């Protein structure tokens, strides 16, 4: 498999490295879910876990929104999936969710995150509009790489339990 992360020149600047690694992890999520119908995307394939591939897509859309819009842009438009009393609605309220709809929302959140990222220096500090926490774009990009890497590991295990396909 071709891995774009390792096509970067050895002297790539920090912003290029961070955004490239984050985009690679974003795309890994898409690759892991590729080719599955909605029923399998909603399947809780690991008996001891409530995680699903669709739940992970929805969760990561919300994480994109939380950190880039709420944190860096200081303009949180509200939660995507927690309109009920369930704080884990992105994972649990999936009975009628579809892959097409969930990925469309996720892609829109990613595009918004990219626009926010493009206009800011890595070291600029912002204050999260909900928590009041100070965040730099550098911190958020590193955190998002960590967030995706962790959840992509979950996604790999779920996909393997569904149909035996092994991830990256």
């Amino acid at each position: 498999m071709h891995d774009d992360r390792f096509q970067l020149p050895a002297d790539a600047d920090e912003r290029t490295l961070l955004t490239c690694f984050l985009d690679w992890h974003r795309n890994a999520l898409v690759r892991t879910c590729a080719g599955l119908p909605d029923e399998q995307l909603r399947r809780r394939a690991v008996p001891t876990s409530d995680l699903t591939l669709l739940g992970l897509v929805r969760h990561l859309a919300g994480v994109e929104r939380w950190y880039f819009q709420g944190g860096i842009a200081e303009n949180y438009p509200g939660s995507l999936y927690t309109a009920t009393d369930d704080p884990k609605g992105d994972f649990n309220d999936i009975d009628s969710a579809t892959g097409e709809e969930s990925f469309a929302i996720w892609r829109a959140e990613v595009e918004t995150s990219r626009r926010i990222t493009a206009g800011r220096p890595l070291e600029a500090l912002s204050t999260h509009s909900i928590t009041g926490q100070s965040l730099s774009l550098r911190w958020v990009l590193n955190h998002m790489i960590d967030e995706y890497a962790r959840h992509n590991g979950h996604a790999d295990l779920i996909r393997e339990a569904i149909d035996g396909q092994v991830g990256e």
Side-chain angles (χ1 to χ4, degrees):
M1 175 178 281
H2 179 70
D3 190 336
D4 292 335
R5 295 173 299 176
F6 302 108
Q7 301 305 311
L8 290 171
D11 61 349
D13 64 272
E14 182 182 15
R15 178 189 276 296
T16 300
L17 287 171
L18 291 171
T19 57
C20 178
F21 273 77
L22 178 54
D23 280 340
W24 187 90
H25 277 290
R26 287 168 170 155
N27 292 330
L29 178 67
V30 174
R31 290 188 300 270
T32 300
C33 296
L36 293 176
D38 291 342
E39 180 275 321
Q40 288 180 316
L41 290 171
R42 287 191 293 262
R43 185 178 298 165
R44 287 174 168 83
V46 178
T48 58
S49 175
D50 286 338
L51 291 180
T52 66
L53 293 172
L54 196 59
L56 289 171
V57 171
R58 291 161 48 99
H59 171 70
L60 287 164
V63 172
E64 292 270 356
R65 178 178 276 215
W66 177 262
Y67 281 104
F68 287 99
Q69 293 177 57
I72 299 302
E74 300 179 0
N75 184 26
Y76 184 61
S79 178
L80 289 167
Y81 300 111
T82 55
T84 67
D85 290 340
D86 183 359
K88 294 190 177 198
D90 45 356
F91 290 109
N92 295 330
D93 299 333
I94 61 168
D95 293 341
S96 63
T98 67
E100 182 178 350
E101 172 194 42
S102 298
F103 270 105
I105 292 167
W106 174 81
R107 284 184 182 93
E109 294 302 321
V110 167
E111 285 308 310
T112 299
S113 298
R114 286 182 177 134
R115 281 193 303 277
I116 290 167
T117 299
R120 290 174 169 74
L122 293 176
E123 61 278 354
L125 293 177
S126 299
T127 302
H128 196 285
S129 60
I130 301 296
T131 67
Q133 177 184 9
S134 290
L135 302 169
S136 69
L137 179 57
R138 177 181 288 108
W139 186 94
V140 168
L141 289 170
N142 276 288
H143 176 72
M144 292 299 292
I145 292 167
D146 170 64
E147 185 85 14
Y148 272 93
R150 200 163 16 94
H151 289 313
N152 280 335
H154 298 137
D156 285 345
L157 291 171
I158 294 167
R159 178 66 190 252
E160 187 173 3
I162 290 171
D163 67 0
Q165 184 169 321
V166 179
E168 329 222 337

